[in-house]
Amino acid sequence: MEKGTLIEFRVQNQRRLATIDRPEGKKLWIAMDQHLQSHTLHPRHITFTVPHERFRPQDIPAFWQQVQPLLDPESLEVAWEIIREEQRTITPQGLAELLFGETTAATCYAAYYLLSEDRFYFKLKGEVYEPRSVAQVAELKHQHEKEAQRLAEEATFTEHLAQALAGEAVQWSAGDRKRLEQLERYAIAIETSAQHQGAVELLRQLKRPTQPLGAFQLLVDLGLWSTHENLFLRRSQIQVEFSAKVLDVAHNCLNSPPTDIDADLRRDLTHLKVYTIDDESTQEIDDGLSVEVVGDRQKLWIHIADPSRWVMADDVLDHEARRRATTVYLPTGIIPMFPSELATGPMSLVEGRLCCALSFGILLAESGEVLEYEICPSWIRPTYRLSYDDVDMILEQAVPAEADLLAIAHWGNRRSQWRQQRGAIRIDIPEPSIKVAGEEVEISPLRDSPARQLVAEMMILAGEVAADYGLREGIPLPFRCQSPPELPPDDELRQLPAGVVRDCAIRRCMPRSEMSTQPNPHASLGLDAYCQVTSPIRRYTDLLAHRQIKAHLRGETPPLTPDQLNELLLRLVSSIQESSLVERQTNRYWCLEYLRRHRDEVWRGILLRWLRPEENLGLVLLEDLGVELAMRLQRQANLGESLLVRASRVDPRSDQIWLEEVSEVPSSPAATVTP
């Protein structure tokens, strides 16, 4: 190359122009840029040599001013059309001639510049440029547009993040939502994987911890999640909200009720006084109790809500309920199986309203054994909506005006004694009742009061009658069964302190109950056969039992064969188990959160059993709360021994708690706290 030859080279991928000054050795060249700075270059570093003219370094700015007006990318598309049709290749000089009609130094460099910047129309092949096909150009443009859109969305997302973190209101775009969903998936992840790389990179850019907890905290800081976001629920397949389609169908059902296929069979039982008994907060009222005098005998009536009156098999609402399988009960509220406007409205046994029900009329022997029964679709009008506390007070004071309720309680006691004689096993260990409203958390022990025992006995009685009817008439039903437990010898049990410690030992031996189309005994209930039918608004299996029984009452073949029912139960059990797990995990979280807020509180505890005796690790029941927790004692202790304990460290998010024994006299625990 001669002195004054204009060349282009790259420094960190940036274009530079310089003129050749002199050779350096056998292979290198010394070039001077417009600032008179010298560069030692190997020929392979030179990306283009401008032909025809010689330049001085100080001429470079003027040369660049000549080139700039020629750099029109749109002109390259015109050239591509021509060259593609001619099916030939082209050089920078050839493109200069085609575009500008001359091959000066400025036009040749401009042509080279356009070709080297081009992303769509040409590709370098050796020393020449080859036109791409129409399909290739279209695809490259599409990819370029997608990338430009991605970069724009990324910039918008970054801006929105900054606004949200500053406490400003943000209207998140669809593109933002996709990135936030990546962050959410990572926040609920148990382990990091390749699919979380986008979220990890975002956290790294924001200089935040790159673990799932870092993603969780970012979502909290953005105001998208609560500090107490239910990660167990988010990890599950449980849908919190109903789709617009399901809600539309529910609304239409309210406005245009389906035909009552049991209308001709419904018996008018509106003359009966009907008690519905539940927690004050319960909105889905699915059972009511009555007693009727028949001659010199008292006939019990157990009325169960009839949601199948409103939901047809295999319609949209039915498929949604089947998918959910059960209502999920969380401290923060319920996730219903049916839309609330139906579940708490026409499906429920609402005080004072005319309601559809499936009623079980039962005559008992004085021993508590079932003598005879009938099952019928019915009309009822619930008379009283009572809480468990209301009923406990009525029973304790033996209120004469509520003789019907006292009679139902009498028969409930008879039933309990009859089942005990048949080997029923009663375990009386309090459980925590946890309620969360806003920032307030309330925990109290749920004890087995007379009112709760009364309702439980009536529900068990209805389940026994339903199972017997299914057996007698050959109706496939979702029976609930439980194998007999292998209990320790009586003398070994008697050595344990009576009460919760002994009950805890028995509970450990109880097999899990199972669902089957085959009727088998239920050991802990003391029944030969049992079928749950009393919560069809809350349990899909109960709804199935209603449909099977009601079809038989109409003289029809039950809709499900044993094989069909069994196949359906297998699918339902999986959903039910998932819901139960989320309930347990969520309750555990809020128990720990309550104790975290009460770290200075001292609680009364009872040592229920040893988990690992060699490590002094035992299970302790906090009596004031009904909460069972593992605790490592620093001394020898006996089962049933009372302890005073305090939560020294609690981390609800990581599910960790450390209890320590103390000697202070406990103060009265607060029922409700606000952090």
Side-chain angles (χ1 to χ4, degrees):
M1 285 186 290
E2 298 179 5
K3 182 180 176 66
T5 299
L6 185 62
I7 63 164
E8 181 196 86
F9 65 100
R10 304 282 178 110
V11 175
Q12 295 181 345
N13 208 33
Q14 298 294 315
R15 296 176 187 271
R16 297 285 183 87
L17 290 174
T19 61
I20 294 297
D21 184 63
R22 65 184 184 277
E24 176 74 12
K26 294 182 179 181
K27 295 183 179 181
L28 304 180
W29 295 91
I30 301 296
M32 303 291 289
D33 63 23
Q34 66 188 65
H35 303 294
L36 301 181
Q37 182 179 351
S38 65
H39 300 268
T40 302
L41 304 172
H42 190 280
R44 68 171 173 268
H45 297 147
I46 299 172
T47 51
F48 187 69
T49 302
V50 180
H52 307 309
E53 300 181 34
R54 299 293 173 264
F55 295 83
R56 297 173 301 169
Q58 55 267 39
D59 296 330
I60 293 175
F63 172 78
W64 178 241
Q65 288 182 352
Q66 295 177 42
V67 170
Q68 280 186 296
L70 306 175
L71 302 179
D72 180 10
E74 293 184 3
S75 64
L76 200 61
E77 183 175 5
V78 177
W80 168 73
E81 291 280 4
I82 296 170
I83 296 167
R84 181 180 58 81
E85 289 179 2
E86 295 176 355
Q87 298 182 350
R88 64 185 177 90
T89 60
I90 198 168
T91 63
Q93 290 85 344
L95 182 63
E97 179 67 34
L98 179 62
L99 292 180
F100 312 117
E102 59 181 359
T103 55
T104 64
T107 58
C108 286
Y109 182 67
Y112 160 74
Y113 192 106
L114 288 170
L115 287 168
S116 60
E117 285 288 309
D118 173 45
R119 295 183 180 184
F120 308 128
Y121 303 109
F122 295 93
K123 61 182 176 181
L124 182 62
K125 195 169 185 180
E127 299 294 326
V128 298
Y129 289 85
E130 184 179 85
R132 290 188 170 97
S133 68
V134 174
Q136 289 173 328
V137 170
E139 177 61 23
L140 287 171
K141 285 186 174 181
H142 175 65
Q143 294 299 327
H144 175 72
E145 290 172 359
K146 284 178 62 177
E147 179 63 11
Q149 182 181 359
R150 185 189 69 80
L151 292 174
E153 288 179 350
E154 195 169 277
T156 301
F157 181 55
T158 301
E159 181 183 352
H160 285 170
L161 283 178
Q163 291 173 345
L165 290 173
E168 300 176 21
V170 174
Q171 192 71 29
W172 299 101
S173 67
D176 293 339
R177 289 292 176 190
K178 291 180 181 178
R179 288 171 171 80
L180 292 172
E181 285 171 5
Q182 288 183 340
L183 203 61
E184 290 174 354
R185 285 194 293 271
Y186 186 45
I188 65 175
I190 304 299
E191 296 179 354
T192 305
S193 68
Q195 66 177 339
H196 301 129
Q197 192 56 43
V200 172
E201 185 57 34
L202 173 62
L203 292 169
R204 187 175 290 117
Q205 291 172 7
L206 295 174
K207 297 181 180 179
R208 286 176 171 256
T210 56
Q211 299 305 312
L213 188 58
F216 172 84
Q217 190 57 51
L218 176 57
L219 289 164
V220 172
D221 293 344
L222 291 171
L224 298 172
W225 279 10
S226 159
T227 304
H228 302 293
E229 193 72 23
N230 193 329
L231 300 188
F232 316 112
L233 183 58
R234 285 188 170 272
R235 290 183 186 120
S236 74
Q237 300 299 310
I238 299 169
Q239 296 295 316
V240 177
E241 304 295 338
F242 289 94
S243 69
K245 180 180 180 181
V246 171
L247 293 176
D248 285 344
V249 172
H251 185 69
N252 291 336
C253 182
L254 287 171
N255 293 330
S256 302
T259 301
D260 183 4
I261 58 177
D262 300 300
D264 294 339
L265 294 178
R266 289 202 187 276
R267 188 183 304 180
D268 186 352
L269 298 178
T270 55
H271 62 284
L272 297 176
K273 181 187 286 188
V274 178
Y275 300 91
T276 63
I277 306 169
D278 223 314
D279 289 309
E280 289 185 1
S281 60
T282 301
Q283 298 298 315
E284 300 171 340
I285 310 298
D286 49 17
D287 56 80
L289 304 174
S290 301
V291 65
E292 180 181 26
V293 177
V294 180
D296 59 350
R297 302 164 73 180
Q298 290 181 326
K299 184 176 186 178
L300 291 173
W301 283 98
I302 303 168
H303 312 285
I304 309 301
D306 187 8
S308 62
R309 156 72 183 91
W310 303 93
V311 179
M312 300 296 103
D314 292 323
D315 69 4
V316 171
L317 291 172
D318 183 55
H319 280 287
E320 180 69 9
R322 184 186 307 169
R323 185 177 64 80
R324 292 172 177 257
T326 182
T327 291
V328 182
Y329 292 89
L330 303 176
T332 49
I334 70 168
I335 303 173
M337 188 173 76
F338 287 109
S340 293
E341 58 182 339
L342 282 176
T344 64
M347 287 183 177
S348 279
L349 304 183
V350 181
E351 180 181 351
R353 290 188 189 175
L354 186 64
C355 302
C356 293
L358 183 64
S359 295
F360 297 73
I362 306 163
L363 287 173
L364 297 177
E366 191 60 30
S367 64
E369 182 179 5
V370 175
L371 292 177
E372 57 183 83
Y373 62 82
E374 60 177 317
I375 305 175
C376 62
S378 64
W379 290 106
I380 65 169
R381 193 182 300 276
T383 313
Y384 296 124
R385 163 75 191 275
L386 300 175
S387 70
Y388 288 113
D389 289 341
D390 294 334
V391 175
D392 282 333
M393 182 191 68
I394 291 170
L395 297 181
E396 182 181 357
Q397 297 180 4
V399 177
E402 300 301 339
D404 286 5
L405 189 58
L406 299 177
I408 295 170
H410 164 78
W411 290 113
N413 290 332
R414 286 284 183 267
R415 282 290 298 174
S416 177
Q417 294 167 9
W418 179 79
R419 291 193 305 106
Q420 295 291 325
Q421 292 169 2
R422 290 174 53 85
I425 299 172
R426 180 181 172 189
I427 296 174
D428 188 11
I429 302 177
E431 295 181 354
S433 172
I434 310 167
K435 303 293 182 185
V436 177
E439 289 298 322
E440 293 186 345
V441 186
E442 178 183 333
I443 301 184
S444 58
L446 190 62
R447 301 189 184 278
D448 199 8
S449 71
R452 292 182 185 277
Q453 292 174 28
L454 180 156
V455 173
E457 286 298 337
M458 294 300 105
M459 299 306 103
I460 294 169
L461 175 57
E464 180 190 3
V465 166
D468 185 78
Y469 185 72
L471 282 172
R472 190 180 76 191
E473 303 297 337
I475 306 170
L477 293 175
F479 295 100
R480 198 93 197 179
C481 48
Q482 184 186 47
S483 302
E486 295 183 7
L487 297 175
D490 287 345
D491 57 344
E492 186 176 325
L493 279 176
R494 281 194 293 270
Q495 292 177 12
L496 296 174
V500 292
V501 174
R502 192 176 297 175
D503 283 352
C504 181
I506 294 173
R507 184 181 63 184
R508 289 187 64 198
C509 302
M510 298 303 298
R512 181 176 296 177
S513 64
E514 298 177 349
M515 204 173 296
S516 171
T517 55
Q518 297 299 316
N520 287 303
H522 195 293
S524 62
L525 296 182
L527 299 178
D528 293 331
Y530 176 64
C531 176
Q532 289 179 312
V533 291
T534 58
S535 294
I537 305 176
R538 316 179 196 188
R539 288 192 298 253
Y540 191 77
T541 52
D542 294 39
L543 181 66
L544 288 178
H546 276 226
R547 285 189 178 138
Q548 297 287 91
I549 291 171
K550 287 171 63 180
H552 185 271
L553 292 173
R554 291 192 300 270
E556 301 172 3
T557 301
L560 296 175
T561 66
D563 288 343
Q564 291 171 330
L565 180 58
N566 189 61
E567 182 181 349
L568 185 51
L569 290 180
L570 290 175
R571 298 202 302 268
L572 291 170
V573 165
S574 176
S575 297
I576 293 169
Q577 289 175 343
E578 182 178 43
S579 296
S580 297
L581 177 61
V582 169
E583 289 175 348
R584 289 196 305 273
Q585 291 171 326
T586 306
N587 284 338
R588 164 85 177 183
Y589 173 86
W590 283 108
C591 281
L592 298 193
E593 173 61 17
Y594 183 89
L595 290 168
R596 184 190 70 79
R597 300 180 185 189
H598 289 80
R599 283 191 298 272
D600 295 331
E601 193 76 53
V602 177
W603 308 95
R604 302 181 189 88
I606 296 178
L607 181 59
L608 292 179
R609 68 182 180 91
W610 292 110
L611 299 173
R612 291 198 291 272
E614 68 280 4
E615 300 176 20
N616 266 11
L617 184 67
L619 184 67
V620 173
L621 170 67
L622 303 187
E623 296 180 272
D624 301 305
L625 304 177
V627 175
E628 297 177 29
L629 296 168
M631 175 181 175
R632 181 169 279 105
L633 278 74
Q634 301 302 314
R635 63 177 179 85
Q636 295 298 316
N638 298 316
L639 296 182
E641 186 172 337
S642 294
L643 309 168
L644 297 179
V645 301
R646 177 170 53 208
S648 58
R649 287 184 293 160
V650 190
D651 185 352
R653 190 55 69 190
S654 61
D655 190 30
Q656 293 181 326
I657 181 169
W658 291 265
L659 296 178
E660 63 178 4
E661 188 174 8
V662 296
S663 56
E664 293 94 332
V665 177
S667 57
S668 300
T672 304
V673 293
T674 303

